[in-house]
Amino acid sequence: MILHTIEDVREQIKNWKKEGLTIGLVPTMGALHAGHLSLIKKSVEKCDRTVVSVFVNPIQFCPGEDLDKYPRTLDADEKLCNDAGVNIVFAPSPKEMYGEGHILSNDFLTYVIPPYFYVDKLCGKSRVGHFDGVCTVVNKLFNIVQPDYAFFGQKDAQQLIIIKKMVKDLNIPVEIIPCPIVREENGLALSSRNKYLSEEDKKEAFVLSRILFNIKACYDKGITDVKALTETAYSFLNEHHNLEYLEFRDKENLEGKTVADKDTQVFIALKIGNVRLIDNILLG
Ligand code: PAF
């Protein structure tokens, strides 16, 4: 069943809560792919009822980003969800979520702002305000759906860490379930934005996972010096790759590491043409 209003979702949730059913939420921006489907499958297995939200959240896009051209495939998304056993696809309009003349300025909206230490690095450095938009919409979705469990992909690792922090700091009664990255055969992590890649670019895009898998292999052989591990990446890069960052950080609190250990997560962002791709790997 597809619902477009908060009121309709609330009505349904109220009935499920009365019946004592557990609720899983899979928040998405649509253009669903096998990565999303793995989250949905987990929710359907674990919870009595599953809600998938499909909402291209305008307030998490920075000026000049791809808000207008972000892929919107609601009919196909709805079908995939129905086939996967989802009970509600919640697909609100920006107006439904943010009111009349929906707001792209934080002057008129109550925002949830994650701590500066978590957002002044990695993707937050180039996407200023992005995580404010993510936390705000995820918080709203939690309030609307009141899920027992919410499922997020490890592909967006900084997002996942920030959401876990928000849930802890704000005592939100939901359990966050992290779900492993799903990859194409060549190692490319699945993402809705892969749709922007030409066939040629796609061949180049496996460089991210190549670099990460190689770093993990070196770590497994006993190399822990972050400088040395970073240097291993350069042999994989060519003129098609524009590296934005390659960083070694703690998997819980994003502290930088100079010596890698089992709690170290390696984060990479790289542009191929105009397409910005991210990936990560946990060393332990
Ligand atoms: O990861 C995403 O697709 C989005 O950031 C999310 C969590 C659905 C919030 O809009």
Side-chain angles (χ1 to χ4, degrees):
M1 153 172 46
I2 185 155
L3 298 177
H4 298 284
T5 69
I6 294 166
E7 198 185 337
D8 285 349
V9 173
R10 282 242 164 95
E11 195 53 41
Q12 190 59 56
I13 299 291
K14 212 164 66 189
N15 293 334
W16 290 344
K17 294 264 173 197
K18 249 192 236 153
E19 290 174 56
L21 301 172
T22 56
I23 300 171
L25 170 66
V26 183
T28 82
M29 297 209 300
L32 301 184
H33 51 65
H36 295 113
L37 292 179
S38 72
L39 272 58
I40 290 171
K41 186 164 179 270
K42 272 211 169 159
S43 176
V44 169
E45 279 166 10
K46 191 172 177 67
C47 307
D48 298 320
R49 296 289 181 269
T50 289
V51 179
V52 173
S53 60
V54 174
F55 179 58
V56 181
N57 175 32
I59 68 165
Q60 72 184 70
F61 288 78
C62 303
E65 287 190 350
D66 55 342
L67 173 61
D68 293 335
K69 72 167 193 180
Y70 196 87
R72 288 161 170 87
T73 57
L74 187 56
D75 290 345
D77 294 345
E78 189 190 353
K79 180 162 181 346
L80 284 172
C81 285
N82 287 340
D83 294 348
V86 170
N87 302 94
I88 292 179
V89 176
F90 175 43
S93 63
K95 187 173 156 202
E96 178 69 12
M97 287 298 271
Y98 295 119
E100 197 63 61
H102 71 269
I103 299 116
L104 291 171
S105 139
N106 59 9
D107 292 348
F108 301 100
L109 184 69
T110 303
Y111 267 71
V112 178
I113 315 272
Y116 188 62
F117 184 80
Y118 285 68
V119 299
D120 69 343
K121 48 184 62 67
L122 304 172
C123 291
K125 210 166 170 181
S126 62
R127 307 189 72 193
V128 175
H130 166 69
F131 290 112
D132 302 353
V134 170
C135 284
T136 302
V137 81
V138 169
N139 211 328
K140 282 168 76 76
L141 290 167
F142 286 167
N143 285 332
I144 294 163
V145 176
Q146 297 168 50
D148 300 281
Y149 302 96
F151 298 78
F152 291 88
Q154 265 156 345
K155 153 108 189 336
D156 296 308
Q158 188 178 12
Q159 166 174 286
L160 177 59
I161 289 167
I162 288 173
I163 287 170
K164 282 201 304 210
K165 172 87 176 137
M166 172 183 82
V167 163
K168 180 165 173 269
D169 288 352
L170 300 184
N171 308 99
I172 303 175
V174 62
E175 188 177 327
I176 302 298
I177 312 283
C179 303
I181 298 175
V182 179
R183 298 181 181 279
E184 290 195 6
E185 232 169 82
N186 71 0
L188 175 63
L190 295 192
S191 157
S192 303
R193 286 190 169 98
N194 290 355
K195 288 202 164 90
Y196 300 149
L197 291 166
S198 66
E199 276 313 306
E200 218 33 52
D201 290 347
K202 240 182 175 180
K203 282 186 208 139
E204 294 291 337
F206 81 124
V207 69
L208 288 95
S209 57
R210 257 276 179 92
I211 288 173
L212 294 177
F213 293 161
N214 184 57
I215 287 173
K216 168 98 171 92
C218 293
Y219 171 79
D220 288 343
K221 278 191 196 138
I223 304 174
T224 55
D225 179 51
V226 162
K227 231 168 151 199
L229 289 169
T230 304
E231 268 158 26
T232 64
Y234 294 110
S235 60
F236 296 99
L237 296 171
N238 65 34
E239 70 282 4
H240 300 290
H241 311 134
N242 187 356
L243 183 66
E244 183 181 309
Y245 61 71
L246 174 64
E247 295 185 28
F248 293 66
R249 296 194 169 274
D250 183 86
K251 66 174 183 174
E252 298 291 340
N253 62 22
L254 294 178
E255 295 265 8
K257 300 263 187 183
T258 51
V259 178
D261 58 20
K262 65 175 182 22
D263 295 327
T264 302
Q265 195 145 5
V266 189
F267 299 80
I268 187 168
L270 185 148
K271 258 189 172 174
I272 295 177
N274 286 327
V275 188
R276 184 176 177 280
L277 299 167
I278 59 171
D279 201 345
N280 68 86
I281 200 164
L282 186 62
L283 294 185

